[in-house]
């Protein structure tokens, strides 16, 4: 199972996580998020994260100038699109840097809408994140009905939305085919990344 820890805002928090047994570290470059960080800060983060981890920037309906700046000025390895991006945005990223991994986040609106969106994007992106629907494009800390995911097969996707130790335990008892978890609020205490919570989730998911 893959683990993506997301929503890092400070160098101190990145320092806590950079050597942990996780697969990806994410930073949000969307002004509507309380976890927003600017491009210069993202560069500082990516400079200190080892190459064995994906360095993910989360964008929401980005303009091409923003994509250009992120690619040229930071060391990110992955772009996560968390809005209503058209296929042309994905094509543009591929044209600028074909080596970048692209994740498409999808809201769990209803089963058919979700399946249709996966079908539309699955040949264009490398991974999906399925999140709780919100007008703020994620970051709510709220869960959704995970049973809707039972019909999703043969797709690389992470579950997001209110992921914490207790909810990951609950999901483990369901018959799902997800490949991991995307966690932000579930590893925080008072808006800071909590080392104990991170270590507990890693042990739960990875077993080490």
């Amino acid at each position: 199972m893959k683990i993506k820890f997301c929503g890092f805002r400070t160098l101190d928090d990145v320092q806590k996580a950079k050597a942990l047994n996780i697969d990806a570290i994410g930073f949000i470059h969307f002004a509507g998020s309380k976890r927003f960080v600017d491009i210069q800060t993202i560069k500082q983060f990516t400079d200190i994260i080892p190459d064995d981890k994906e360095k993910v920037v989360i964008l929401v309906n980005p303009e091409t100038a923003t994509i250009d700046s992120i690619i040229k000025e930071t060391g990110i390895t992955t772009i996560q699109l968390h809005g209503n991006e058209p296929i042309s945005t994905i094509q543009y990223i591929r044209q600028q840097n074909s080596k970048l991994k692209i994740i498409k986040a999808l809201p769990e609106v209803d089963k058919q809408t979700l399946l249709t969106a996966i079908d539309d994007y699955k040949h264009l992106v490398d991974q999906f994140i399925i999140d709780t629907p919100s007008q703020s494009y994620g970051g709510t800390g709220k869960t959704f009905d995970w049973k809707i995911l039972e019909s999703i097969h043969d797709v690389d996707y992470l579950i997001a939305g209110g992921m914490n130790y207790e909810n990951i335990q609950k999901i483990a008892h369901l018959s799902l085919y997800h490949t991991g978890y995307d966690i932000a609020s579930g590893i925080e205490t008072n808006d800071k990344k909590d080392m104990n919570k991170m270590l507990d989730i890693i042990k739960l998911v990875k077993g080490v």
Side-chain angles (χ1 to χ4, degrees):
M1 280 283 165
K2 301 169 187 172
I3 296 176
K4 172 172 169 273
F5 284 165
C6 197
F8 285 79
R9 284 176 278 188
T10 67
L11 276 171
D12 183 53
D13 279 350
V14 173
Q15 291 280 7
K16 293 177 190 175
K18 70 175 187 176
L20 298 179
N21 182 23
I22 58 177
D23 302 277
I25 298 179
F27 337 102
I28 300 172
H29 187 66
F30 169 55
S33 171
K34 68 178 183 179
R35 298 183 178 93
F36 168 83
V37 285
D38 60 27
I39 291 176
Q40 183 58 41
T41 302
I42 292 172
K43 181 185 185 305
Q44 292 175 344
F45 293 168
T46 57
D47 283 350
I48 67 169
I49 297 171
D51 292 337
D52 65 338
K53 292 173 177 58
E54 291 179 39
K55 307 167 190 181
V56 187
V57 63
I58 291 84
L59 303 176
V60 176
N61 304 321
E63 296 180 355
T64 55
T66 299
I67 295 170
D68 292 345
S69 296
I70 287 286
I71 292 174
K72 293 175 183 176
E73 299 175 30
T74 76
I76 59 105
T77 61
T78 304
I79 291 180
Q80 176 179 322
L81 299 172
H82 215 102
N84 307 307
E85 295 84 7
I87 289 171
S88 58
T89 298
I90 297 168
Q91 293 170 332
Y92 182 81
I93 294 169
R94 295 287 189 210
Q95 290 168 0
Q96 302 310 303
N97 188 333
S98 61
K99 294 180 180 179
L100 286 177
K101 177 177 177 177
I102 299 176
I103 301 172
K104 183 70 187 83
L106 299 173
E108 175 279 319
V109 180
D110 59 69
K111 179 179 175 181
Q112 192 53 54
T113 301
L114 184 58
L115 290 174
T116 299
I118 289 173
D119 196 52
D120 288 344
Y121 285 105
K122 67 182 180 182
H123 298 299
L124 300 165
V125 302
D126 303 291
Q127 187 178 60
F128 290 100
I129 286 173
I130 301 176
D131 198 358
T132 305
S134 73
Q135 292 183 336
S136 57
Y137 301 101
T140 64
K142 297 178 180 178
T143 62
F144 60 91
D145 183 1
W146 304 307
K147 289 184 179 180
I148 201 172
L149 304 175
E150 290 177 348
S151 58
I152 300 175
H153 304 262
D154 304 317
V155 174
D156 183 355
Y157 75 92
L158 309 183
I159 302 176
M163 287 299 98
N164 57 28
Y165 190 93
E166 291 75 20
N167 287 330
I168 291 171
Q169 283 184 310
K170 292 176 184 177
I171 289 172
H173 295 292
L174 302 176
S175 299
L176 305 182
Y177 299 90
H178 60 299
T179 54
Y181 302 95
D182 182 18
I183 308 151
S185 60
I187 51 169
E188 291 179 349
T189 299
N190 298 324
D191 293 331
K192 292 184 178 181
K193 299 307 183 194
D194 185 313
M195 180 61 88
N196 289 329
K197 288 183 178 180
M198 290 192 285
L199 291 173
D200 286 346
I201 286 176
I202 291 168
K203 186 174 182 180
L204 175 64
V205 175
K206 301 279 193 182
V208 289

